[in-house]
Amino acid sequence: MKALIISDIHSNVCTLEAIRKAEPDCDVIYCAGDLVDYGPFPGEVIEWVHKHGAICVRGNHDDIIIDVYRNGNRGLDVAEDQIKWAHHNARLLGEAEISFLEGMPVYRTFEMDGYSYTMQHLYENYLTIDSLPKYDAFWAERNGGTIETAGDRRIIFGHTHRRCVHYLSDTSLWLNPGSVSYRRPDDPTKEAHYFTITDGRIAMKSLVYDRTPLLEATRKLQLREDEMKVAYVFFG
């Protein structure tokens, strides 16, 4: 079994298409949230995820878009000089796409190649699980209150955009595939970050892809200056 593990897409369908081309033999795709916001192609991302049967959880930016659409009039009454990516994305989406985002669960549990997995977008703000007791408590809450028979356990998080594998014990790991779209300011590289897991073996992957369509689409928009700056840094 080969699984593609991605997270924090942020309305960037170009990176998804490039990754799929680079990893055509994946049997299943898991996404740890943040499909939308901070990018120009929210509808295309949702369509891609649906088309490829990606198994997703809902991220905080997915919730932001849902809220702007449901409770913020899709941002239609926001002044032009105050338009954010969230308003832009909400205006492009319709009821079907918003319902799709709403339908994604906050967490999922599954088995793969003899390993037990729990996948959730974030732990607590930007904190990480830094002790085995915290790990056990998180695991038990999402897996019926038991850890004694869990065996080899792996938690998948997104959110921080920092690709990593942390060991809390020989059989208790938490993984973050990083973002396929954005780096943090102290990591200015622009390639896509993701994992593949093949028969239980974790591989950290990076991919350079063509960002030209993202930059061209962004240049056509009128967004708040600080919102534009983020996109120019990583799409430029």
Side-chain angles (χ1 to χ4, degrees):
M1 170 75 77
K2 180 177 179 180
L4 173 63
I5 313 297
I6 58 176
S7 189
D8 297 270
I9 303 167
H10 291 293
S11 298
N12 180 352
V13 74
C14 302
T15 190
L16 295 179
E17 292 172 345
I19 292 170
R20 187 60 179 165
K21 185 176 181 180
E23 310 287 350
D25 56 340
C26 287
D27 300 296
V28 64
I29 302 171
Y30 288 98
C31 177
D34 277 4
L35 278 64
V36 292
D37 203 5
Y38 273 93
F41 302 122
E44 290 85 345
V45 165
I46 293 171
E47 181 181 3
W48 188 97
V49 165
H50 182 72
K51 175 182 176 181
H52 291 88
I55 300 168
C56 305
V57 293
R58 195 168 69 249
N60 61 304
H61 282 273
D62 302 319
D63 284 334
I64 287 170
I65 300 306
I66 292 167
D67 183 62
V68 171
Y69 185 93
R70 294 288 186 211
N71 305 312
N73 192 30
R74 301 170 65 193
L76 294 174
D77 52 0
V78 175
E80 282 195 12
D81 62 349
Q82 292 299 310
I83 296 173
K84 302 172 69 173
W85 276 114
H87 306 132
H88 165 269
N89 276 208
R91 293 174 184 182
L92 290 179
L93 299 178
E95 183 63 32
E97 290 88 356
I98 296 299
S99 294
F100 180 86
L101 295 178
E102 290 173 326
M104 295 189 299
V106 172
Y107 72 90
R108 293 180 182 270
T109 61
F110 57 95
E111 303 285 327
M112 185 168 62
D113 297 321
Y115 296 85
S116 299
Y117 289 85
T118 294
M119 183 171 68
Q120 183 167 310
H121 181 63
L122 60 87
Y123 171 56
E124 183 179 339
N125 198 9
Y126 285 90
L127 299 178
T128 58
I129 295 180
D130 55 9
S131 73
L132 187 57
K134 289 181 183 179
Y135 187 103
D136 288 344
F138 183 92
W139 185 273
E141 186 176 338
R142 288 149 185 80
N143 289 273
T146 179
I147 62 171
E148 289 78 6
T149 60
D152 288 301
R153 303 174 291 167
R154 294 173 173 180
I155 297 173
I156 299 173
F157 290 120
H159 188 59
T160 67
H161 295 207
R162 297 190 185 278
R163 186 183 55 186
C164 55
V165 178
H166 287 264
Y167 283 78
L168 280 300
S169 76
D170 289 341
T171 59
S172 305
L173 284 64
W174 68 261
L175 326 173
N176 190 321
S179 170
V180 298
S181 193
Y182 284 106
R183 307 277 71 75
R184 293 302 178 194
D186 60 354
D187 179 11
T189 56
K190 299 180 182 182
E191 69 268 16
H193 285 180
Y194 62 97
F195 284 167
T196 59
I197 302 179
T198 307
D199 299 329
R201 187 181 73 255
I202 302 163
M204 295 184 175
K205 301 289 187 75
S206 298
L207 181 68
V208 176
Y209 66 99
D210 183 11
R211 303 183 308 278
T212 304
L214 298 159
L215 183 60
E216 291 179 347
T218 299
R219 282 175 171 161
K220 296 176 182 177
L221 303 178
Q222 289 184 322
L223 303 180
R224 233 169 60 174
E225 184 177 352
D226 57 331
E227 300 269 299
M228 292 289 280
K229 183 178 180 180
V230 174
Y232 280 142
V233 168
F234 291 104
F235 298 158

